[in-house]
Amino acid sequence: MTTDHYADGTCRWWHLSEPPPELVAALGDGWLPAGGRVIDVGCGLGTEAGYLASAGWQAAGIDLSGTALARAAAGHPDASFMRADVRRLPLRPHCLDAAVDRGCFHYLPAADRDRYAAELRRVLRPGGKLLLRASLRTAGERNDINEAVIAGTFGGWRVERMERAEVPSDTRTLEVLVARLSA
């Protein structure tokens, strides 16, 4: 049985109730354009999809947690939300301009990461953007995520910027790699 971290409250450790600074920066400096179609991968409670919708994007969030999706839809009516697995997106090819991921990639088993990258590349238009924040810890333990893992997984992509950063959640600071990638 899979635990729903949105039902049991564990999500408080990574959830951020306001738009994260790295997303605000990507919009503010023009790396993410002023609109288009975007998907928030592993959207959780929908903060990023809601923010992007309010900024003029046609935004959708996907997650596996029904609890998270219900709360996201209730809190962010300008975005749409659906239950889907990022490794098998129910979207047609090249239908998106951008994707954001604040908390999905680092939870994938290493064997599934190439499928994740291929599926996002399939649904992003050529040159589409991915803003990836991959945590260096999973469930509090140091994982295998590092620059080489990101570069290897996204070998056919253009890595425009990748840096280690500390980003906020509502309860603490998270150590992450922030990567700006183009399909």
Side-chain angles (χ1 to χ4, degrees):
M1 179 175 193
T2 302
T3 302
D4 185 334
H5 296 298
Y6 292 92
D8 71 13
T10 306
C11 65
R12 73 183 180 280
W13 295 109
W14 63 80
H15 175 69
L16 181 60
S17 299
E18 59 189 46
E22 64 278 9
L23 177 58
V24 173
L27 287 169
D29 66 21
W31 183 76
L32 279 177
R37 294 176 53 126
V38 64
I39 191 167
D40 181 358
V41 177
C43 68
L45 301 178
T47 302
E48 292 189 12
Y51 176 69
L52 289 162
S54 72
W57 286 80
Q58 185 179 356
I62 64 161
D63 206 288
L64 293 175
S65 167
T67 302
L69 291 167
R71 291 174 59 190
H76 305 285
D78 293 340
S80 61
F81 297 93
M82 67 180 142
R83 185 176 168 95
D85 186 325
V86 69
R87 295 163 295 191
R88 291 176 297 283
L89 291 169
L91 301 170
R92 65 184 192 284
H94 310 297
C95 66
L96 299 173
D97 300 295
V100 296
D101 178 350
R102 186 169 198 272
C104 183
F105 180 78
H106 57 267
Y107 277 106
L108 291 172
D112 289 346
R113 293 176 185 154
D114 288 341
R115 180 69 191 140
Y116 166 100
E119 189 63 358
L120 284 177
R121 188 174 195 119
R122 182 186 72 78
V123 299
L124 286 169
R125 65 169 174 72
K129 309 284 188 174
L130 170 61
L131 179 62
L132 176 67
R133 281 72 40 98
S135 181
L136 302 180
R137 297 187 176 279
T138 306
E141 299 293 323
R142 180 68 173 98
N143 58 31
D144 69 330
I145 302 296
N146 61 31
E147 292 83 353
V149 167
I150 302 289
T153 300
F154 296 94
W157 297 57
R158 187 168 145 222
V159 179
E160 297 184 27
R161 181 192 299 176
M162 183 168 26
E163 61 193 6
R164 289 181 182 239
E166 292 188 355
V167 299
S169 77
D170 285 345
T171 61
R172 62 189 176 141
T173 301
L174 308 171
E175 298 175 83
V176 300
L177 275 172
V178 177
R180 292 181 177 189
L181 304 137
S182 293

